[in-house]
Amino acid sequence: MRIGSAILMGAAIPSMHYTGMMATHFSVIESVEFSAVDTTATYWMAVIIGLFTLLLLGWTLLTSFFNEQLSVQLVKTADLKENEERLKQALQNQEALATLAESRSEELEIAMLALQKAQLQFLQAEKMSSLGQIVAGVAHEINNPANFIYGNLFHTEIYLRQLLELINTYQQHYPTPVLAVQAQVESIDLPFLLEDLPKLLNSMQTGAERIKYIVESLRNFSRLDEAQLKAVDIHEGLNSTLLILQNRISYAPNNRPEIIVIKEYGNLPLVNCYPGQLNQVFFNIIANAIDVFEQKLNNIKLQSSFTPLIRIRTTINQVGWVNIQIFDNGSGISEDVQNKIYDPFFTTKLVGQGTGLGLSISYQIVVQTHGGRLNCISAKGQGTTFQIELPIDTLIHTSCFLGKQSQVVPDEAIE
């Protein structure tokens, strides 16, 4: 536009000059007589050239005006584009900040969950450590007098047998003792004493063996001296756990019926594991089953119509894996609750009756520590089966552990 304006201005200047020259030339026509020349066409030519010159000047002025307006518009457009780019950059920065904030929030949430798990592990470790120390202390204090009784019963039995043989010998050689001896024999009922005394010794022997078994079970449950991996018999841990909970199984308040425990143990090899932690898993699952029975019986008017049952089955379901199924015929667990039972601090028990830590800790012990699997197979009103799958050699499987559960259909007997 500027180049075009310059060209028009350049054309207008000689046109004005030519028009002036024509006007000056034809102004002297009145003093000179040229009768033979017709000047009308010349005047019209001058007028046309003048009009054309004015048109050029007007066009030039208009072009300059619009050129200035266009320049202003271009400047405004450039400013708008620059502002638009700044706005886009600001929006991009805002989106980046929002993404960063969301990422930080997720990281903070993950850190909070990790902190909760760490606190959970610490609290449970302290709890089980205290419980293990108490159990081990009680077992130690019981073990000393129990060993004293158990060890002396053997000699007591020998001495009493010898005395009984002496009495029999005396009766054979002196069938008719003096009156004082006969009176004493009748007062103590000697025949009954000779018959009942061996039975009494057998009962004492059985009780001493029972005490010894309880002490061994308490020590097996605490496992304070076995914090590292060790090849153990899983059945010993299950039996020890049942013994610890025997008081709740056999004797319960409010005339609750005794819980029937069925043990279907398979022929399992020794399992390389952390025995104390596995005992904790067994304890949590069986104790939860007992709690379910108590809640269900409180809601049933005729308690005699329901018989609580716990069935424990152990098998080898595949090469290198041990399968432990703990079934109870309680109320069952709905699908919604099953998705939350392993969450820390989640519980369906009443306030003050549960912390929501048992199954969460059990899941960590089975899955993360031993590289196994812990599945819950249940439906509302159809009982619950907790299935524990453990590798025989934990050290090998935890090195290549994939934290992924597998759904396994329970056996027909468990159903």
Side-chain angles (χ1 to χ4, degrees):
M1 293 295 291
R2 293 180 178 178
I3 294 174
S5 300
I7 293 174
L8 292 176
M9 288 294 291
I13 292 173
S15 298
M16 292 174 63
H17 179 69
Y18 181 72
T19 304
M21 289 177 62
M22 291 293 294
T24 303
H25 175 73
F26 290 111
S27 64
V28 297
I29 295 178
E30 294 180 355
S31 60
V32 183
E33 293 181 358
F34 293 97
S35 58
V37 180
D38 188 2
T39 61
T40 302
T42 303
Y43 279 113
W44 280 109
M45 180 62 70
V47 171
I48 292 172
I49 293 174
L51 292 175
F52 181 70
T53 300
L54 291 175
L55 180 62
L56 291 176
L57 290 174
W59 175 257
T60 302
L61 293 175
L62 289 175
T63 303
S64 300
F65 175 75
F66 285 113
N67 188 20
E68 183 179 359
Q69 294 296 324
L70 182 61
S71 298
V72 173
Q73 189 66 28
L74 290 175
V75 171
K76 290 182 179 180
T77 304
D79 292 340
L80 288 175
K81 289 184 178 180
E82 184 178 359
N83 292 333
E84 184 179 359
E85 291 295 332
R86 291 179 180 176
L87 181 60
K88 289 182 179 179
Q89 187 65 29
L91 291 175
Q92 291 178 355
N93 293 336
Q94 186 177 3
E95 291 178 356
L97 290 176
T99 303
L100 180 61
E102 184 178 358
S103 176
R104 295 293 184 184
S105 177
E106 293 178 355
E107 293 178 358
L108 180 60
E109 184 177 357
I110 294 174
M112 289 296 295
L113 291 176
L115 179 60
Q116 286 183 351
K117 289 183 178 180
Q119 292 176 344
L120 172 64
Q121 292 176 350
F122 176 76
L123 291 175
Q124 194 68 16
E126 289 295 324
K127 174 182 176 182
M128 294 307 298
S129 176
S130 300
L131 178 60
Q133 291 176 359
I134 293 173
V135 171
V138 171
H140 177 72
E141 294 299 326
I142 296 176
N143 188 50
N144 290 332
N147 286 334
F148 176 78
I149 296 173
Y150 187 79
N152 288 325
L153 278 176
F154 174 75
H155 302 286
T156 302
E157 183 180 5
I158 294 176
Y159 298 157
L160 288 176
R161 186 181 297 112
Q162 292 175 351
L163 288 175
L164 293 176
E165 290 178 354
L166 176 62
I167 293 174
N168 290 329
T169 302
Y170 178 81
Q171 288 178 340
Q172 290 176 2
H173 291 83
Y174 297 96
T176 306
V178 296
L179 294 178
V181 173
Q182 292 180 2
Q184 186 66 25
V185 168
E186 292 178 356
S187 65
I188 64 174
D189 194 1
L190 182 61
F192 174 77
L193 192 148
L194 294 177
E195 180 183 357
D196 190 62
L197 188 56
K199 298 179 181 179
L200 179 63
L201 288 175
N202 291 333
S203 298
M204 295 175 63
Q205 186 76 20
T206 302
E209 292 177 354
R210 175 68 176 170
I211 294 174
K212 183 179 180 181
Y213 172 74
I214 292 175
V215 171
E216 291 178 355
S217 298
L218 291 175
R219 294 183 61 185
N220 290 334
F221 181 81
S222 61
R223 298 282 188 177
L224 291 180
D225 56 343
E226 298 177 4
Q228 301 299 324
L229 282 172
K230 183 178 180 180
V232 298
D233 185 359
I234 294 295
H235 297 156
E236 289 184 359
L238 289 169
N239 292 333
S240 300
T241 303
L242 291 173
L243 180 64
I244 295 296
L245 294 171
Q246 185 64 35
N247 184 55
R248 297 188 63 191
I249 292 174
S250 300
Y251 311 101
N254 300 326
N255 296 324
R256 188 205 70 187
E258 180 180 355
I259 299 174
I260 298 176
V261 178
I262 300 176
K263 294 185 287 187
E264 299 177 354
Y265 292 165
N267 187 15
L268 300 183
L270 297 180
V271 178
N272 194 30
C273 63
Y274 299 94
Q277 297 185 22
L278 280 185
N279 291 340
Q280 180 182 350
V281 174
F282 302 150
F283 183 89
N284 291 334
I285 294 176
I286 298 176
N288 284 342
I290 298 175
D291 293 338
V292 170
F293 289 144
E294 292 179 352
Q295 293 179 3
K296 183 173 182 178
L297 289 170
N298 290 333
N299 297 328
I300 296 177
K301 296 181 180 180
L302 298 177
Q303 296 184 358
S304 59
S305 63
F306 173 73
T307 301
L309 170 68
I310 294 177
R311 180 185 287 113
I312 303 175
R313 170 181 292 180
T314 60
T315 56
I316 299 179
N317 61 349
Q318 51 182 300
V319 178
W321 287 80
V322 170
N323 189 338
I324 306 167
Q325 294 179 340
I326 302 177
F327 166 79
D328 68 80
N329 62 340
S331 302
I333 305 175
S334 63
E335 185 176 356
D336 294 338
V337 176
Q338 289 185 45
N339 297 328
K340 303 177 183 178
I341 58 176
Y342 301 124
D343 294 342
F345 307 107
F346 175 80
T347 180
T348 57
K349 301 178 183 178
L350 299 177
V351 177
Q353 295 184 0
T355 60
L357 300 179
L359 288 180
S360 177
I361 288 293
S362 300
Y363 184 85
Q364 293 181 14
I365 291 174
V366 174
V367 177
Q368 298 180 8
T369 304
H370 291 83
R373 293 185 285 266
L374 177 60
N375 298 315
C376 176
I377 307 168
S378 179
K380 196 66 177 177
Q382 299 182 8
T384 302
T385 299
F386 279 95
Q387 183 166 271
I388 304 169
E389 293 181 281
L390 296 172
I392 293 178
D393 193 346
T394 297
L395 185 62
I396 296 176
H397 286 82
T398 50
S399 63
C400 58
F401 162 66
L402 296 175
K404 186 176 182 182
Q405 298 185 13
S406 65
Q407 190 70 19
V408 182
V409 178
D411 295 337
E412 293 181 0
I414 297 297
E415 293 177 351

